Amino acid sequence: MARYRTRWWAVGAALVVAVGAGLTGCTNDNDTEPRPTDAASVVESAASQASDFWASATAEAERRIDEITKGIDVRDDVTLGRPTTADDGRTTVEVTARNTTDSTKSFIVQVDFKNRDGDFLDTVVVTVSDVPADGSGEATARSTHELPGDVQVEVARAVRY
């Protein structure tokens, strides 16, 4: 799912472990200081924590949408523009919500950012407020960090309330 981020987390963790092993590998003749015995398990643990972070971000987005108890799934009423990279390096995309009801409504939209292979990179939740009856409203979804390469976007969930 988050293979790209997990891989770099694992590389970073491996470097920390390698440097730590080099520093703790030099001991006095007493040799009673602990030594890293299984660097692979430390790297695996760090990679697991990175994967858990992304799973947690997705769960938080879903939780926020689930808080809207009278919402109606309206993914078909939401369109996304072409993703672009802002000056700060974050990916942005215009979100347009079409209100097909006869009264003003607001929308909560979860936008997933993925790489060309479909691997998950990021997710954000954006609100499109006070969309008039039979009208459209817009908002901008912005990634939480810089995203590498060719970024694809999709509406994971959309709720009208």
Side-chain angles (χ1 to χ4, degrees), residues 112-116 118-121 150-154:
D112 286 352
F113 296 86
K114 298 181 177 187
N115 67 14
R116 181 181 293 176
D119 296 327
F120 176 85
L121 298 172
D150 184 24
V151 176
Q152 310 295 314
V153 291
E154 70 179 36

Side-chain angles (χ1 to χ4, degrees), residues 9-70:
W9 239 92
V11 170
L15 289 172
V16 169
V17 169
V19 170
L23 293 176
T24 60
C26 301
T27 63
N28 58 20
D29 291 335
N30 192 354
D31 203 23
T32 58
E33 295 180 25
R35 295 177 185 232
T37 57
D38 191 0
S41 68
V42 173
V43 171
E44 183 177 313
S45 175
S48 174
Q49 288 174 351
S51 181
D52 290 347
F53 170 79
W54 294 114
S56 175
T58 302
E60 176 63 14
E62 289 177 3
R63 184 193 65 75
R64 291 180 68 189
I65 291 173
D66 289 340
E67 285 177 353
I68 303 170
T69 58
K70 295 182 183 179

Side-chain angles (χ1 to χ4, degrees), residues 35-131:
R35 295 177 185 232
T37 57
D38 191 0
S41 68
V42 173
V43 171
E44 183 177 313
S45 175
S48 174
Q49 288 174 351
S51 181
D52 290 347
F53 170 79
W54 294 114
S56 175
T58 302
E60 176 63 14
E62 289 177 3
R63 184 193 65 75
R64 291 180 68 189
I65 291 173
D66 289 340
E67 285 177 353
I68 303 170
T69 58
K70 295 182 183 179
I72 297 173
D73 181 11
V74 291
R75 278 183 286 187
D76 292 340
D77 292 339
V78 176
T79 56
L80 301 176
R82 176 175 287 179
T84 60
T85 303
D87 291 338
D88 65 358
R90 294 185 182 189
T91 301
T92 62
V93 63
E94 290 301 314
V95 178
T96 302
R98 184 173 39 100
N99 182 4
T100 59
T101 70
D102 59 0
S103 63
T104 299
K105 300 290 182 181
S106 293
F107 294 74
I108 295 284
V109 181
Q110 178 183 343
V111 178
D112 286 352
F113 296 86
K114 298 181 177 187
N115 67 14
R116 181 181 293 176
D117 296 328
D119 296 327
F120 176 85
L121 298 172
D122 198 6
T123 191
V124 296
V125 175
V126 64
T127 302
V128 184
S129 299
D130 302 323
V131 180

